[in-house]
Amino acid sequence: MIALALVFTGAACSPPKDDGAGTAKTLAAALTAHTVGSVAFDQPAAEVQKELTELSKGVDPVWPKVTVDGVAVKDDGTARVSLGYSWTIPNVAKAWTYKTGADMKRNGDGWTVTWSPAMLVPRLLPGERLKISTTYPQRAGILAADGQPIVKDRPVETLGINKDGLSDAEARASGKALAAVVDVEPTAYLAKIKAYGPVAFVDAITLREEAYTALDQAKLRDIKGFLATPGTLPLAPSRTFAQAILGSVHEATAEDIKMSKGKVVAGQVVGGSGLQSAFDTQLAGTPGVTIEAVAGATATPSAGATGAASPTPDPSAGAGAKVLFTQAPSDGKDVKTTLMPKLQTAAEDALADVKTPSSIVIMKPSTGAILAAANGPDSNGYNTAFLGQYAPGSTFKIATSLGLFREGMNPQSTLSCTPEYTADGKKFFNAPGYAVDAEGQIPMTLAIAHSCNTAFVSQFNHLAQDKLADAAGALGIGMTNDLGLDAFMGSVPRDSAGTEHAASMIGQGKVQVSPLAMATLISSTVKGSEVVPVLVSGRDGKAKPAQGTPVTVKEAAGLRTLMRASVTEGYLTNLADLPGAPAIGKTGTAEYGTDNPPRTHSWVIAAQGDIAVAVFVEDGDLGAVTGGPLAKAALEAAAGN
C-alpha cells in the first residue's frame, strides 16, 4: 500500500500535458523576434532560421508583432493555431493587420509545429522573399503671399568623380582637383572617394545650374573621371533669397534616416533648415509603401567568370512579384507664407553691401503679415531678423514714452534735456554732435526727434522698471507666438534697479530685442493695438501677450505724434519727402562691447501707411546715418507694391 501511494503521489506531481496554448505562445514570440527560439519545427531548426532571417532582411527594420488568437485541438492529436499579425509600417497611419494559421502535431507531452511560410503571410510560398519599397510623393512648394511658388523644382547639377576606369591614385588626384574647383573640403571628399566602390560615382557638390555654368569649365574638363549629372531640387529663386527663412533641402543622410525611425528612406529629399525643416512633414507628403512577395534566390552552381556559385531564381517561387500590402503616395501640401518676393528682394539688395550682420523686417500692421525678412550677407545664413538679441537703444524710447504717458505725461509734456545726467552715480550723455539748441526744457516731441538721452534717463525715478516692462509688453515686446520658426520677441527685465534701470529707459542695460520684435513694436503703434506677427498664412501661433495693460488707441496716437516729429524736425528728415501718407519713425544707437569708444548697433524703426519697417545693423554709425537710408529704401520699395 505504501509503494502504491508513492506511485500515485508521483503521478500527481508530474507536469500536465501542454494543451497547445504554451507552444502557440512560444511560437508567436519566436515569429515576432524572427527567430526559431525553443520552438520544435518539423524541419531542421537551422533551415527554418535561415528562412526567417532571409524574410526579415527584405523588410528590415519593419517586422510584425504576432499574437495568438486561439488554439483548436483535435482528437487526432493535431491542432490549429490562429495567429494575429500587426505591422507598424513607417508613414502608414493604420497598422497592417491580418490573420494566419499554423498546424501542430502532438509530440509526447509537447508539440511539433509544421513549418510553412504561409504562417507568416497568406499566399507566401516556399522560396519567396519579402520586399518593401517606397514610392516618393511630389514634395510641395513654399508659396508667396499671392499664392505663387517661391520654392519650386529648379535645375541643378551634381558634380563628382566617376571612379570607373581610374586607378586609386588617379581617383585621388581627380578628387583633389575637383575639390579645389568647387571649393569643398578636400580631406573629407578624398576619404569619401576612398570609401566608395571601384566603379562608383562619388558626388562632391550639387549646384544650381547657373552656379555650375559659372565655374571654370576648362578646368573641369581636364579632370579625369569628372562627371556632372543633371537633376532638380526644390529651390528659391536665388541662393540667398530669404535663405534663413525658407531654409534648405538635401537628400537624406544616414543620420536623417536613423533619427526618423524608418520614416525617411535613402534617396528621399528632406528639409534641412528653415520652413523646409519646420514644415517638412506637410511639404514632403506621405510616401507610398508596398510590401511584395518576390522570387527568392538559392545558391546553385553556374558558369560565373570566377567559377563561384552565383544566385539563380528558385523556380518554385513562381513568376513575378505578388503584392501583399500597398499604400499609394500622397503628395505634400504647399506652405503659403506672407512674404512678398519683390519686397524681399528689395530689402536684400539694400543690405547687399553692409559689411556686418544686418536685417530689414517689413510688416503690415493691420494684419501682422511679415512681408519681408531680409538678412545681410554678413549674417552668414543666420536668421538675424528673428533670432538676433540686441540692445535696441533709442528706438526703445517709444516704449518708455508709453510708460510716461501712463504716468500722466503727453507728447507736449516738458522734459529736461541736459548735456549729462547722473543716475545712481553713473553719468549718462547724449550722442556725439547732439544739437545744443535742442537742450533745456523741451517738449517730449523734441526729445524724441533729437533723441535726448538725458531727458529720458532723468525720468527713471518716475517710471518704475516693472511699469516700463509693461509698456514694452503692450507694444508686443516679450509676447509668445509660434510663427512656425523660432523667433525672439524681446525681453525687458522687471527687476532692474539703479543704474541698470536708468539704462533701460534708453534701451540699454539688459533690454534685448530682435529686429522682428521692433517691427512688431512700431506695427502696434501704427495699428493702435498689439500686433501679432504672422509668417505662415492660416497658422494659429497661439499668441500670448506679455504682462501688462494693452496699448490704447489714444496712447498709440500720442506715440505716432512723437515719431512724426523725428521726420519733420529730427534725425529722419530723409523720410519727409516720401510721397503718400506721412512717414513716422525713430532712430536708435546702442552701445555695446568693451572698446573705447564703444561699438554701436544702428537701428531705425519707421512706418508709412500700412507698412512698418525695422532696420538693424550690428556695427554701424548713428541710427540716422546707417539705418536711415536703408529704412527709406524699404519704404520706397513697399510703396511700389
Side-chain angles (χ1 to χ4, degrees):
M1 291 295 292
I2 295 174
L4 185 60
L6 288 173
V7 170
F8 284 152
T9 302
C13 292
S14 64
K17 287 185 178 181
D18 180 2
D19 62 359
T23 299
K25 185 177 180 181
T26 302
L27 173 63
L31 294 175
T32 298
H34 45 80
T35 182
V36 170
S38 61
V39 179
F41 286 99
D42 65 343
Q43 296 183 23
E47 291 299 319
V48 176
Q49 183 59 65
K50 180 181 178 182
E51 188 80 0
L52 285 170
T53 300
E54 289 298 320
L55 287 166
S56 66
K57 277 183 181 178
V59 290
D60 186 61
V62 179
W63 192 254
K65 181 178 180 181
V66 188
T67 57
V68 178
D69 289 347
V71 180
V73 180
K74 301 177 183 179
D75 293 338
D76 62 357
T78 64
R80 180 71 172 174
V81 181
S82 178
L83 298 171
Y85 282 75
S86 179
W87 295 68
T88 300
I89 304 173
N91 300 305
V92 176
K94 188 177 179 181
W96 174 33
T97 60
Y98 56 84
K99 296 183 184 299
T100 69
D103 293 318
M104 302 192 302
K105 288 184 178 181
R106 175 75 72 179
N107 183 5
D109 292 339
W111 298 85
T112 297
V113 178
T114 303
W115 167 252
S116 169
M119 77 169 65
L120 291 172
V121 185
R123 300 186 296 134
L124 187 64
L125 300 176
E128 287 184 330
R129 297 290 177 256
L130 297 179
K131 175 187 176 184
I132 188 168
S133 57
T134 302
T135 305
Y136 301 123
Q138 178 67 40
R139 188 176 180 89
I142 298 179
L143 310 182
D146 61 2
Q148 294 300 305
I150 299 175
V151 174
K152 60 183 180 181
D153 283 345
R154 300 178 194 273
V156 295
E157 296 279 347
T158 300
L159 282 57
I161 299 297
N162 180 10
K163 292 177 67 176
D164 191 11
L166 300 182
S167 67
D168 289 346
E170 287 173 328
R172 181 177 175 83
S174 294
K176 189 174 181 180
L178 179 59
V181 175
V182 300
D183 194 25
V184 298
E185 204 285 312
T187 303
Y189 184 51
L190 292 178
K192 187 176 179 181
I193 289 176
K194 183 178 180 180
Y196 276 44
V199 295
F201 170 68
V202 188
D203 59 296
I205 193 171
T206 299
L207 297 174
R208 291 170 179 268
E209 194 173 60
E210 59 269 25
Y212 167 63
T213 305
L215 293 174
D216 190 325
Q217 298 296 314
K219 285 185 177 180
L220 292 175
R221 285 193 297 270
D222 289 341
I223 299 173
K224 281 188 177 181
F226 168 73
L227 184 64
T229 60
T232 61
L233 275 178
L235 299 171
S238 70
R239 184 181 61 83
T240 59
F241 184 92
Q243 180 182 24
I245 303 295
L246 301 177
S248 62
V249 294
H250 60 266
E251 190 170 308
T253 64
E255 185 179 2
D256 292 325
I257 295 168
K258 182 179 179 181
M259 291 180 64
S260 76
K261 297 181 179 179
K263 290 187 176 182
V264 173
V265 297
Q268 187 171 340
V269 173
V270 297
S273 61
L275 293 175
Q276 290 284 7
S277 176
F279 291 84
D280 187 59
T281 300
Q282 176 179 333
L283 291 165
T286 305
V289 181
T290 300
I291 297 179
E292 298 171 297
V294 298
T298 56
T300 56
S302 65
T306 62
S310 62
T312 59
D314 181 352
S316 66
K322 199 160 45 186
V323 175
L324 305 173
F325 171 86
T326 188
Q327 173 183 273
S330 176
D331 289 344
K333 295 181 180 179
D334 294 331
V335 171
K336 185 180 179 183
T337 71
T338 57
L339 298 176
M340 296 181 65
K342 287 184 179 179
L343 280 186
Q344 180 71 28
T345 299
E348 290 179 2
D349 288 348
L351 296 172
D353 296 325
V354 178
K355 304 302 182 184
T356 184
S358 56
S359 174
I360 295 176
V361 177
I362 305 176
M363 284 179 65
K364 190 177 182 70
S366 60
T367 63
I370 299 169
L371 307 181
N375 298 293
D378 274 31
S379 287
N380 294 316
Y382 184 70
N383 195 356
T384 302
F386 285 12
L387 299 175
Q389 299 187 27
Y390 303 99
S394 292
T395 54
F396 191 72
K397 289 172 184 172
I398 301 306
T400 305
S401 297
L402 176 56
L404 294 176
F405 286 175
R406 293 177 171 183
E407 295 301 313
M409 292 189 179
N410 61 60
Q412 299 308 317
S413 295
T414 300
L415 298 176
S416 177
C417 180
T418 56
E420 64 180 61
Y421 181 85
T422 302
D424 198 33
K426 176 179 173 58
K427 288 185 177 180
F428 289 83
F429 302 91
N430 293 320
Y434 186 85
V436 176
D437 58 2
E439 292 179 344
Q441 299 299 307
I442 60 174
M444 194 183 294
T445 51
L446 192 60
I448 285 290
H450 286 267
S451 204
C452 180
N453 290 335
T454 59
F456 287 92
V457 172
S458 69
Q459 299 301 308
F460 84 109
N461 282 324
H462 303 293
L463 179 60
Q465 181 70 24
D466 61 342
K467 291 185 177 181
L468 176 61
D470 286 347
L475 297 173
I477 303 299
M479 75 163 63
T480 58
N481 175 42
D482 184 2
L483 280 171
L485 291 182
D486 289 340
F488 175 66
M489 290 303 296
S491 173
V492 181
R494 305 185 67 82
D495 57 358
S496 293
T499 297
E500 193 173 274
H501 170 41
S504 295
M505 300 285 285
I506 55 172
Q508 298 271 187
K510 293 184 178 179
V511 177
Q512 296 277 283
V513 297
S514 65
L516 174 64
M518 293 310 292
T520 301
L521 178 145
I522 188 168
S523 291
S524 299
T525 302
V526 171
K527 186 177 181 180
S529 61
E530 186 179 56
V531 171
V532 176
V534 178
L535 176 64
V536 176
S537 297
R539 181 179 179 81
D540 180 5
K542 295 179 172 58
K544 182 180 178 182
Q547 186 175 337
T549 304
V551 66
T552 67
V553 171
K554 181 179 179 181
E555 289 170 338
L559 296 177
R560 293 195 298 272
T561 297
L562 297 179
M563 297 178 76
R564 178 59 180 167
S566 287
V567 175
T568 57
E569 53 186 313
Y571 293 148
L572 285 177
T573 53
N574 69 316
L575 305 183
D577 60 353
L578 287 173
I584 62 174
K586 179 71 189 80
T587 59
T589 308
E591 297 180 350
Y592 77 101
T594 57
D595 292 358
N596 189 15
R599 297 162 73 179
T600 54
H601 303 318
S602 178
W603 288 91
V604 168
I605 53 176
Q608 185 182 28
D610 198 20
I611 295 293
V613 173
V615 173
F616 168 76
V617 177
E618 185 173 293
D619 275 306
D621 204 323
L622 297 174
V625 175
T626 302
L630 297 173
K632 184 175 184 179
L635 290 175
E636 286 177 332
N641 285 272

